[in-house]
Amino acid sequence: MLLCANKLDKKDFFGKSDPFLVFYRSNEDSTFTICHKTEVVKNTLNPVWQPFSIPVRALYHGDYDRTVKTDVYDWDRNGSHDFTGEFTTSYRELSKAQNQFTVNEVTLLSFSVDSEFTFVDYIKGGTQLNFTVAIDFTASNGNPLQSISLHYMSPYQLSAYAMALKAVGEIIQDYDSDKLFPAYGFGAKLPPEGRISHQFPLNNNDEDPNCAGIEGVLESYFQSLHTVQLYGPTYFAPVINQVARAAAKISDGSQYYVLLIIADGVISDMTQTKEAIVSTSSLPMSIIIVGVGPAKFEAMEELDGDDMRVSSGGCYAERDIVQFVPFRDYVDQLGNQVLSMARLTKDELAEIPEQLLSCMRTRDIQPRPPPPVNHSPTPAPEQP
């Protein structure tokens, strides 16, 4: 809204008035709740206030005919502001007027309503989350056959890698209709010739790296531990660029890509990884990094752009697309694995909704209308 006033009553003995507006929502019990105050415009009887925004629900609670009261005050330094006048209106009246709506001495110069869509609006409209997994198979994780390894497959408990994968995967798979997830490993020597790979399909199928559901990813992960040799170094960029190539093909908001990287420490291609994140930041894609083990995770924390946006070659990421969480912060000392994994899942996925929304806003993509609900009754079976 943009409002002005003309020839307000002069309340100050010396000089002119310092007017401001106070907006109130009417309540069911006939009381009023303050919803917004404008700035004070000094020394004038003809103020023009700065444009401002108020959430529709804050004023109207869904009732477009609900009374909105606006008081006009003359500001005083001692806090005993002088009441100048008041007027009442409603959202419906304002929206019909659009502009040049005058009540007493106050004129509405312009009025517009912007819709702010939610993550759920896009999901209901058909936006699919495409979930890709990348797991660290470097030798620094330790021999998977030994209990000190981060990949150790205990008969009694999942490894840190498997728990992190299961925690986020079981939630995010509900937003993916086909539940087919590309899953890769990096930093291993592959049989039979011992070629080092930084992006190999866990299911050993180069043509189709998809695994059926999170259980299929886990099964392929466990199988890979028996067939590949843990080696190194730790490269993130190849798998980021792999997912980015798929995300670059989507421009209509129908799909959003989420890459989960689980690794144990130092990133060997930090420069290339930063470059990949910066170039990917304009695409419909987010990256979740889970650090496992006791190592320091300075490099992974640097990629999480909460405090400072990731940059490469003088260019900054268009938006923050990386969320980093250290797995050790979620190991419950009392052994309550269910609660620990629930907290891990919450923090892993915490930034995905806003990252998706920022991508859609940047591209000016609105959610599609939800498909109509079919309320037709199920036909009765034919009688024999």
Side-chain angles (χ1 to χ4, degrees):
M1 283 189 272
L2 173 61
L3 296 110
C4 70
N6 187 43
K7 296 180 181 179
L8 291 175
D9 289 343
K10 183 175 178 294
K11 295 295 182 179
D12 291 344
F13 186 76
F14 297 104
K16 297 181 180 179
S17 294
D18 306 314
F20 67 96
L21 303 175
V22 181
F23 288 79
Y24 303 84
R25 179 188 68 243
S26 62
N27 302 314
E28 281 73 9
D29 60 359
S30 299
T31 61
F32 288 90
T33 301
I34 294 178
C35 295
H36 182 76
K37 290 183 181 180
T38 68
E39 82 282 8
V40 176
V41 182
K42 292 294 190 71
N43 198 32
T44 181
L45 299 177
N46 303 294
V48 179
W49 290 279
Q50 291 293 322
F52 60 91
S53 298
I54 306 176
V56 171
R57 61 184 176 275
L59 278 181
Y60 309 106
H61 271 297
D63 178 5
Y64 289 172
D65 294 307
R66 182 184 293 261
T67 298
V68 175
K69 183 167 75 80
T70 305
D71 288 348
V72 185
Y73 286 96
D74 173 26
W75 178 85
D76 283 333
R77 188 181 302 275
N78 64 8
S80 59
H81 312 308
D82 298 318
F83 178 76
T84 302
E86 69 175 48
F87 64 90
T88 59
T89 183
S90 69
Y91 173 86
R92 195 177 304 279
E93 289 180 349
L94 291 170
S95 60
K96 285 180 179 178
Q98 293 296 311
N99 54 49
Q100 296 303 312
F101 175 74
T102 302
V103 182
N104 298 338
E105 296 89 4
V106 178
T107 298
L108 176 70
L109 294 175
S110 66
F111 176 88
S112 63
V113 180
D114 295 326
S115 297
E116 291 187 352
F117 299 108
T118 67
F119 175 74
V120 174
D121 290 330
Y122 286 94
I123 298 302
K124 285 183 176 179
T127 297
Q128 291 287 313
L129 297 188
N130 288 317
F131 181 46
T132 302
V133 177
I135 296 177
D136 181 357
F137 280 78
T138 57
S140 57
N141 287 283
N143 186 336
L145 299 178
Q146 298 177 352
S147 60
I148 60 173
S149 172
L150 295 171
H151 283 299
Y152 178 63
M153 294 184 291
S154 165
Y156 308 107
Q157 184 174 337
L158 293 174
S159 68
Y161 279 88
M163 281 194 285
L165 176 57
K166 191 176 177 67
V168 67
E170 287 186 341
I171 298 297
I172 211 166
Q173 70 179 356
D174 290 335
Y175 296 94
D176 190 315
S177 60
D178 62 14
K179 294 179 173 47
L180 295 176
F181 305 132
Y184 299 94
F186 56 89
K189 282 187 175 181
L190 307 185
E193 69 277 7
R195 174 178 60 90
I196 299 173
S197 176
H198 305 292
Q199 181 198 324
F200 62 91
L202 294 184
N203 65 1
N204 201 33
N205 186 339
D206 289 312
E207 299 299 322
D208 183 9
N210 288 312
C211 300
I214 199 62
E215 293 302 324
V217 175
L218 285 167
E219 182 180 340
S220 295
Y221 159 61
F222 295 144
Q223 185 62 36
S224 292
L225 288 174
H226 291 295
T227 58
V228 306
Q229 177 188 347
L230 272 62
Y231 201 71
T234 305
Y235 287 170
F236 279 12
V239 72
I240 293 175
N241 289 327
Q242 167 77 10
V243 178
R245 285 191 287 272
K249 299 176 183 178
I250 304 301
S251 59
D252 60 356
S254 61
Q255 299 181 61
Y256 191 85
Y257 288 78
V258 178
L259 169 62
L260 172 64
I261 300 176
I262 312 175
D264 76 330
V266 176
I267 302 171
S268 306
D269 64 339
M270 190 65 172
T271 299
Q272 292 82 358
T273 295
K274 285 184 176 180
E275 182 180 344
I277 289 173
V278 170
S279 62
T280 300
S281 64
S282 62
L283 302 177
M285 176 175 165
S286 290
I287 302 170
I288 301 170
I289 302 175
V290 179
V292 296
K296 295 182 179 179
F297 297 120
E298 288 95 339
M300 297 182 187
E301 290 171 346
E302 185 179 344
L303 298 179
D304 191 323
D306 286 346
D307 297 325
M308 181 177 295
R309 197 67 57 86
V310 175
S311 64
S312 173
C315 297
Y316 284 84
E318 182 177 300
R319 58 194 182 87
D320 174 21
I321 65 168
V322 179
Q323 168 75 340
F324 166 70
V325 291
F327 183 82
R328 59 174 171 253
D329 289 356
Y330 301 87
V331 178
D332 193 325
Q333 299 301 319
L334 299 177
N336 194 335
Q337 182 176 318
V338 174
L339 290 179
S340 297
M341 293 306 97
R343 289 194 303 110
L344 173 64
T345 304
K346 178 177 179 292
D347 289 350
E348 282 181 322
L349 299 175
E351 296 185 7
I352 298 299
E354 180 51 41
Q355 289 175 359
L356 181 148
L357 290 174
S358 69
C359 175
M360 298 302 182
R361 285 194 296 263
T362 300
R363 295 179 163 214
D364 196 25
I365 297 174
Q366 295 187 2
R368 299 173 181 175
V373 179
N374 184 7
H375 293 292
S376 58
T378 303
E382 294 183 6
Q383 296 298 319

Tab-separated table of all heavy atoms in Angstrom, residues 144-181:
chain	number	residue	atom	x	y	z
A	144	PRO	N	36.304	-51.814	5.340
A	144	PRO	CA	34.915	-52.119	5.726
A	144	PRO	C	34.765	-53.398	6.539
A	144	PRO	O	33.741	-53.591	7.211
A	144	PRO	CB	34.196	-52.242	4.381
A	144	PRO	CG	35.035	-51.498	3.414
A	144	PRO	CD	36.449	-51.665	3.884
A	145	LEU	N	35.770	-54.259	6.497
A	145	LEU	CA	35.689	-55.507	7.257
A	145	LEU	C	36.100	-55.336	8.711
A	145	LEU	O	35.905	-56.248	9.524
A	145	LEU	CB	36.577	-56.576	6.591
A	145	LEU	CG	36.203	-56.956	5.152
A	145	LEU	CD1	37.189	-57.976	4.602
A	145	LEU	CD2	34.780	-57.488	5.087
A	146	GLN	N	36.666	-54.183	9.033
A	146	GLN	CA	37.116	-53.935	10.401
A	146	GLN	C	36.131	-53.025	11.128
A	146	GLN	O	35.574	-52.085	10.532
A	146	GLN	CB	38.512	-53.315	10.396
A	146	GLN	CG	39.575	-54.214	9.787
A	146	GLN	CD	40.937	-53.546	9.729
A	146	GLN	OE1	41.082	-52.367	10.009
A	146	GLN	NE2	41.959	-54.334	9.357
A	147	SER	N	35.937	-53.267	12.415
A	147	SER	CA	34.900	-52.557	13.184
A	147	SER	C	35.175	-51.067	13.335
A	147	SER	O	34.256	-50.300	13.609
A	147	SER	CB	34.762	-53.193	14.572
A	147	SER	OG	35.994	-53.109	15.280
A	148	ILE	N	36.437	-50.633	13.140
A	148	ILE	CA	36.746	-49.201	13.266
A	148	ILE	C	36.412	-48.432	11.995
A	148	ILE	O	36.471	-47.208	11.966
A	148	ILE	CB	38.235	-48.978	13.622
A	148	ILE	CG1	39.134	-49.578	12.533
A	148	ILE	CG2	38.554	-49.547	14.993
A	148	ILE	CD1	40.615	-49.245	12.732
A	149	SER	N	36.050	-49.144	10.934
A	149	SER	CA	35.727	-48.490	9.662
A	149	SER	C	34.375	-47.793	9.738
A	149	SER	O	33.428	-48.303	10.354
A	149	SER	CB	35.694	-49.521	8.532
A	149	SER	OG	35.194	-48.932	7.338
A	150	LEU	N	34.288	-46.643	9.082
A	150	LEU	CA	33.007	-45.923	9.004
A	150	LEU	C	32.018	-46.667	8.106
A	150	LEU	O	30.825	-46.385	8.128
A	150	LEU	CB	33.236	-44.505	8.472
A	150	LEU	CG	34.073	-43.596	9.371
A	150	LEU	CD1	34.420	-42.290	8.646
A	150	LEU	CD2	33.335	-43.291	10.666
A	151	HIS	N	32.534	-47.616	7.318
A	151	HIS	CA	31.676	-48.430	6.440
A	151	HIS	C	31.398	-49.809	7.035
A	151	HIS	O	30.774	-50.644	6.374
A	151	HIS	CB	32.344	-48.621	5.066
A	151	HIS	CG	32.268	-47.431	4.172
A	151	HIS	ND1	31.083	-46.879	3.738
A	151	HIS	CD2	33.254	-46.680	3.603
A	151	HIS	CE1	31.334	-45.847	2.934
A	151	HIS	NE2	32.643	-45.703	2.848
A	152	TYR	N	31.838	-50.051	8.253
A	152	TYR	CA	31.711	-51.395	8.837
A	152	TYR	C	30.241	-51.800	8.954
A	152	TYR	O	29.405	-51.067	9.482
A	152	TYR	CB	32.368	-51.435	10.214
A	152	TYR	CG	32.241	-52.775	10.912
A	152	TYR	CD1	32.828	-53.916	10.358
A	152	TYR	CD2	31.535	-52.893	12.107
A	152	TYR	CE1	32.723	-55.153	10.989
A	152	TYR	CE2	31.426	-54.133	12.752
A	152	TYR	CZ	32.023	-55.249	12.176
A	152	TYR	OH	31.907	-56.471	12.800
A	153	MET	N	29.950	-53.002	8.438
A	153	MET	CA	28.572	-53.502	8.451
A	153	MET	C	28.374	-54.432	9.639
A	153	MET	O	28.550	-55.644	9.539
A	153	MET	CB	28.254	-54.208	7.136
A	153	MET	CG	28.245	-53.282	5.940
A	153	MET	SD	27.750	-54.117	4.412
A	153	MET	CE	29.168	-55.198	4.134
A	154	SER	N	28.043	-53.845	10.758
A	154	SER	CA	27.789	-54.627	11.969
A	154	SER	C	26.467	-55.372	11.832
A	154	SER	O	25.499	-54.846	11.252
A	154	SER	CB	27.745	-53.699	13.186
A	154	SER	OG	27.166	-54.359	14.292
A	155	PRO	N	26.389	-56.583	12.354
A	155	PRO	CA	25.098	-57.297	12.325
A	155	PRO	C	24.068	-56.685	13.265
A	155	PRO	O	22.889	-57.039	13.211
A	155	PRO	CB	25.477	-58.718	12.763
A	155	PRO	CG	26.738	-58.561	13.547
A	155	PRO	CD	27.472	-57.407	12.937
A	156	TYR	N	24.512	-55.758	14.103
A	156	TYR	CA	23.619	-55.195	15.123
A	156	TYR	C	23.206	-53.740	14.841
A	156	TYR	O	22.202	-53.281	15.358
A	156	TYR	CB	24.292	-55.256	16.501
A	156	TYR	CG	24.803	-56.623	16.853
A	156	TYR	CD1	26.172	-56.889	16.850
A	156	TYR	CD2	23.929	-57.669	17.164
A	156	TYR	CE1	26.653	-58.153	17.157
A	156	TYR	CE2	24.407	-58.935	17.477
A	156	TYR	CZ	25.766	-59.166	17.471
A	156	TYR	OH	26.243	-60.420	17.773
A	157	GLN	N	23.990	-53.036	14.024
A	157	GLN	CA	23.697	-51.617	13.814
A	157	GLN	C	24.199	-51.170	12.449
A	157	GLN	O	25.247	-51.624	11.980
A	157	GLN	CB	24.353	-50.767	14.909
A	157	GLN	CG	24.024	-49.281	14.830
A	157	GLN	CD	24.588	-48.519	16.010
A	157	GLN	OE1	24.844	-49.092	17.065
A	157	GLN	NE2	24.779	-47.219	15.849
A	158	LEU	N	23.451	-50.278	11.808
A	158	LEU	CA	23.875	-49.723	10.530
A	158	LEU	C	25.098	-48.838	10.718
A	158	LEU	O	25.312	-48.259	11.780
A	158	LEU	CB	22.741	-48.904	9.910
A	158	LEU	CG	21.490	-49.653	9.450
A	158	LEU	CD1	20.424	-48.670	9.010
A	158	LEU	CD2	21.814	-50.622	8.322
A	159	SER	N	25.906	-48.720	9.660
A	159	SER	CA	27.045	-47.802	9.694
A	159	SER	C	26.546	-46.365	9.672
A	159	SER	O	25.367	-46.092	9.392
A	159	SER	CB	27.955	-48.042	8.494
A	159	SER	OG	27.292	-47.645	7.297
A	160	ALA	N	27.441	-45.421	9.953
A	160	ALA	CA	27.073	-44.004	9.899
A	160	ALA	C	26.585	-43.632	8.507
A	160	ALA	O	25.631	-42.867	8.341
A	160	ALA	CB	28.274	-43.137	10.298
A	161	TYR	N	27.238	-44.195	7.479
A	161	TYR	CA	26.811	-43.920	6.099
A	161	TYR	C	25.389	-44.414	5.863
A	161	TYR	O	24.539	-43.704	5.314
A	161	TYR	CB	27.763	-44.607	5.111
A	161	TYR	CG	29.031	-43.848	4.852
A	161	TYR	CD1	30.146	-44.016	5.658
A	161	TYR	CD2	29.124	-42.943	3.789
A	161	TYR	CE1	31.319	-43.314	5.420
A	161	TYR	CE2	30.284	-42.244	3.529
A	161	TYR	CZ	31.384	-42.426	4.358
A	161	TYR	OH	32.534	-41.727	4.118
A	162	ALA	N	25.129	-45.636	6.274
A	162	ALA	CA	23.801	-46.213	6.039
A	162	ALA	C	22.727	-45.489	6.830
A	162	ALA	O	21.616	-45.257	6.324
A	162	ALA	CB	23.819	-47.699	6.404
A	163	MET	N	23.039	-45.081	8.063
A	163	MET	CA	22.044	-44.364	8.864
A	163	MET	C	21.718	-43.002	8.265
A	163	MET	O	20.550	-42.599	8.199
A	163	MET	CB	22.543	-44.216	10.307
A	163	MET	CG	22.381	-45.464	11.145
A	163	MET	SD	22.585	-45.165	12.927
A	163	MET	CE	24.352	-44.980	13.023
A	164	ALA	N	22.757	-42.271	7.824
A	164	ALA	CA	22.518	-40.963	7.216
A	164	ALA	C	21.702	-41.102	5.941
A	164	ALA	O	20.781	-40.321	5.675
A	164	ALA	CB	23.846	-40.273	6.934
A	165	LEU	N	22.042	-42.106	5.144
A	165	LEU	CA	21.331	-42.354	3.893
A	165	LEU	C	19.874	-42.720	4.151
A	165	LEU	O	18.954	-42.195	3.510
A	165	LEU	CB	22.037	-43.480	3.142
A	165	LEU	CG	21.422	-43.972	1.841
A	165	LEU	CD1	21.278	-42.832	0.859
A	165	LEU	CD2	22.293	-45.081	1.256
A	166	LYS	N	19.655	-43.593	5.104
A	166	LYS	CA	18.298	-44.055	5.415
A	166	LYS	C	17.457	-42.929	6.005
A	166	LYS	O	16.270	-42.770	5.676
A	166	LYS	CB	18.383	-45.214	6.399
A	166	LYS	CG	17.082	-45.978	6.634
A	166	LYS	CD	17.327	-47.154	7.554
A	166	LYS	CE	16.039	-47.907	7.866
A	166	LYS	NZ	15.489	-48.588	6.693
A	167	ALA	N	18.068	-42.081	6.853
A	167	ALA	CA	17.328	-41.011	7.530
A	167	ALA	C	16.724	-40.025	6.548
A	167	ALA	O	15.526	-39.711	6.604
A	167	ALA	CB	18.245	-40.286	8.519
A	168	VAL	N	17.537	-39.532	5.620
A	168	VAL	CA	17.020	-38.530	4.682
A	168	VAL	C	16.252	-39.193	3.541
A	168	VAL	O	15.242	-38.666	3.063
A	168	VAL	CB	18.164	-37.645	4.138
A	168	VAL	CG1	19.112	-38.439	3.278
A	168	VAL	CG2	17.605	-36.462	3.357
A	169	GLY	N	16.706	-40.378	3.117
A	169	GLY	CA	16.072	-41.032	1.980
A	169	GLY	C	14.643	-41.443	2.220
A	169	GLY	O	13.787	-41.325	1.341
A	170	GLU	N	14.355	-41.926	3.425
A	170	GLU	CA	12.999	-42.390	3.702
A	170	GLU	C	11.985	-41.257	3.723
A	170	GLU	O	10.794	-41.480	3.517
A	170	GLU	CB	12.976	-43.154	5.035
A	170	GLU	CG	13.636	-44.525	4.943
A	170	GLU	CD	13.484	-45.340	6.216
A	170	GLU	OE1	13.191	-44.731	7.273
A	170	GLU	OE2	13.665	-46.562	6.145
A	171	ILE	N	12.458	-40.030	3.987
A	171	ILE	CA	11.555	-38.876	3.937
A	171	ILE	C	11.406	-38.377	2.509
A	171	ILE	O	10.295	-38.196	1.991
A	171	ILE	CB	12.069	-37.736	4.831
A	171	ILE	CG1	12.121	-38.180	6.291
A	171	ILE	CG2	11.183	-36.491	4.677
A	171	ILE	CD1	10.784	-38.525	6.885
A	172	ILE	N	12.536	-38.184	1.846
A	172	ILE	CA	12.495	-37.519	0.543
A	172	ILE	C	11.893	-38.414	-0.539
A	172	ILE	O	11.379	-37.918	-1.545
A	172	ILE	CB	13.914	-37.043	0.157
A	172	ILE	CG1	13.835	-35.773	-0.709
A	172	ILE	CG2	14.712	-38.126	-0.538
A	172	ILE	CD1	15.146	-35.055	-0.854
A	173	GLN	N	11.909	-39.737	-0.344
A	173	GLN	CA	11.347	-40.621	-1.367
A	173	GLN	C	9.835	-40.445	-1.496
A	173	GLN	O	9.256	-40.768	-2.538
A	173	GLN	CB	11.697	-42.073	-1.079
A	173	GLN	CG	11.017	-42.699	0.112
A	173	GLN	CD	11.425	-44.162	0.306
A	173	GLN	OE1	12.170	-44.730	-0.500
A	173	GLN	NE2	10.927	-44.766	1.372
A	174	ASP	N	9.200	-39.899	-0.475
A	174	ASP	CA	7.759	-39.668	-0.557
A	174	ASP	C	7.405	-38.530	-1.511
A	174	ASP	O	6.235	-38.353	-1.858
A	174	ASP	CB	7.185	-39.369	0.829
A	174	ASP	CG	7.199	-40.588	1.735
A	174	ASP	OD1	7.188	-41.716	1.199
A	174	ASP	OD2	7.233	-40.432	2.960
A	175	TYR	N	8.399	-37.724	-1.902
A	175	TYR	CA	8.156	-36.615	-2.826
A	175	TYR	C	8.572	-36.962	-4.252
A	175	TYR	O	8.585	-36.104	-5.124
A	175	TYR	CB	8.911	-35.368	-2.357
A	175	TYR	CG	8.438	-34.854	-1.016
A	175	TYR	CD1	9.060	-35.239	0.164
A	175	TYR	CD2	7.351	-33.984	-0.931
A	175	TYR	CE1	8.628	-34.775	1.395
A	175	TYR	CE2	6.907	-33.515	0.295
A	175	TYR	CZ	7.553	-33.917	1.449
A	175	TYR	OH	7.123	-33.461	2.672
A	176	ASP	N	8.946	-38.206	-4.481
A	176	ASP	CA	9.398	-38.661	-5.794
A	176	ASP	C	8.468	-39.783	-6.241
A	176	ASP	O	8.424	-40.845	-5.617
A	176	ASP	CB	10.844	-39.157	-5.697
A	176	ASP	CG	11.460	-39.422	-7.061
A	176	ASP	OD1	10.787	-40.042	-7.902
A	176	ASP	OD2	12.614	-39.024	-7.280
A	177	SER	N	7.724	-39.549	-7.302
A	177	SER	CA	6.657	-40.486	-7.670
A	177	SER	C	7.181	-41.845	-8.111
A	177	SER	O	6.594	-42.880	-7.773
A	177	SER	CB	5.783	-39.880	-8.779
A	177	SER	OG	6.567	-39.603	-9.930
A	178	ASP	N	8.293	-41.884	-8.866
A	178	ASP	CA	8.754	-43.193	-9.337
A	178	ASP	C	9.677	-43.891	-8.335
A	178	ASP	O	9.929	-45.086	-8.440
A	178	ASP	CB	9.452	-43.086	-10.698
A	178	ASP	CG	10.704	-42.213	-10.670
A	178	ASP	OD1	11.211	-41.897	-9.567
A	178	ASP	OD2	11.191	-41.859	-11.760
A	179	LYS	N	10.176	-43.135	-7.341
A	179	LYS	CA	11.035	-43.703	-6.291
A	179	LYS	C	12.222	-44.470	-6.869
A	179	LYS	O	12.670	-45.483	-6.324
A	179	LYS	CB	10.224	-44.581	-5.341
A	179	LYS	CG	9.198	-43.782	-4.533
A	179	LYS	CD	8.387	-44.654	-3.614
A	179	LYS	CE	7.502	-43.801	-2.691
A	179	LYS	NZ	6.753	-42.739	-3.373
A	180	LEU	N	12.755	-43.943	-7.971
A	180	LEU	CA	13.966	-44.483	-8.570
A	180	LEU	C	15.085	-43.479	-8.354
A	180	LEU	O	14.999	-42.342	-8.826
A	180	LEU	CB	13.765	-44.750	-10.062
A	180	LEU	CG	12.747	-45.829	-10.414
A	180	LEU	CD1	12.563	-45.919	-11.921
A	180	LEU	CD2	13.178	-47.186	-9.853
A	181	PHE	N	16.128	-43.877	-7.643
A	181	PHE	CA	17.162	-42.945	-7.235
A	181	PHE	C	18.517	-43.312	-7.830
A	181	PHE	O	19.039	-44.412	-7.558
A	181	PHE	CB	17.298	-42.929	-5.712
A	181	PHE	CG	16.006	-42.646	-4.999
A	181	PHE	CD1	15.596	-43.436	-3.945
A	181	PHE	CD2	15.195	-41.593	-5.385
A	181	PHE	CE1	14.411	-43.177	-3.280
A	181	PHE	CE2	14.004	-41.335	-4.737
A	181	PHE	CZ	13.604	-42.126	-3.685
